[in-house]
Amino acid sequence: MPVVAMVAVLGALVLGTLLSACAQSPDPGDGGVEYGETLDLGVPGPLMETVEGVAGYPACGNEPIEHDGTTWYPFEPANLDAFPEVVAMAAVGGGMGGGTMRIVLPAVAAPGPGDDVGTLTVYEGGLAHWISDSGELETWLTDRRLTYDWVC
């Protein structure tokens, strides 16, 4: 078999393996989240702490928020009716205004004033809630590592 043909066959096998892995639905036990999927990760325990001024910009729902050595992964709770209601705190000075994260993505609007900084409310049991100072963005979070099947 000529070398060119062998390289083409090997390339097709590698590409086929990669594409088949991308097409598979994630196993619920592996931390994979499909777009629009809701997860039942339990309910938040007692409130542990509330921290203002936490940077984040969860515009697409797949952007983790880092705080104090913990990575928080956004998710859509399947049992939201059992979660506590979180009220937005009034922004002091409108947040960092205009954005501290300067990643340019064509599908995502740049953060407006107070969109990229907010209040993190941490609950016992590895769940948290983040809401922007503007009140325009909010998400439930888990400290369980999640991966997402969409790119924003």
Side-chain angles (χ1 to χ4, degrees):
M1 180 182 270
V3 174
V4 173
M6 196 174 341
V7 169
V9 168
L10 182 59
L13 288 172
V14 169
L15 182 60
T17 302
L18 290 173
L19 290 176
S20 69
C22 291
Q24 295 175 353
S25 295
D27 175 354
D30 74 356
V33 181
E34 294 182 30
Y35 186 76
E37 179 180 10
T38 60
L39 300 175
D40 185 349
L41 300 177
V43 295
L47 180 109
M48 292 176 56
E49 70 175 318
T50 299
V51 184
E52 295 181 40
V54 176
Y57 187 53
C60 295
N62 61 355
E63 304 90 347
I65 293 176
E66 306 266 344
H67 176 69
D68 202 22
T70 301
T71 301
W72 295 98
Y73 298 90
F75 76 101
E76 181 75 27
N79 52 340
L80 189 58
D81 57 331
F83 277 52
E85 183 177 342
V86 181
V87 179
M89 299 179 76
V92 178
M96 295 180 177
T100 57
M101 297 177 70
R102 296 291 180 194
I103 299 173
V104 178
L105 298 172
V108 180
D115 286 346
D116 61 352
V117 65
T119 301
L120 180 69
T121 305
V122 179
Y123 296 89
E124 192 173 285
L127 297 175
H129 182 268
W130 183 90
I131 186 165
S132 65
D133 284 352
S134 69
E136 296 295 319
L137 297 168
E138 66 179 298
T139 186
W140 280 99
L141 305 159
T142 179
D143 62 2
R144 176 180 156 193
R145 187 181 188 312
L146 298 176
T147 57
Y148 306 92
D149 75 345
W150 69 94
V151 178
C152 180

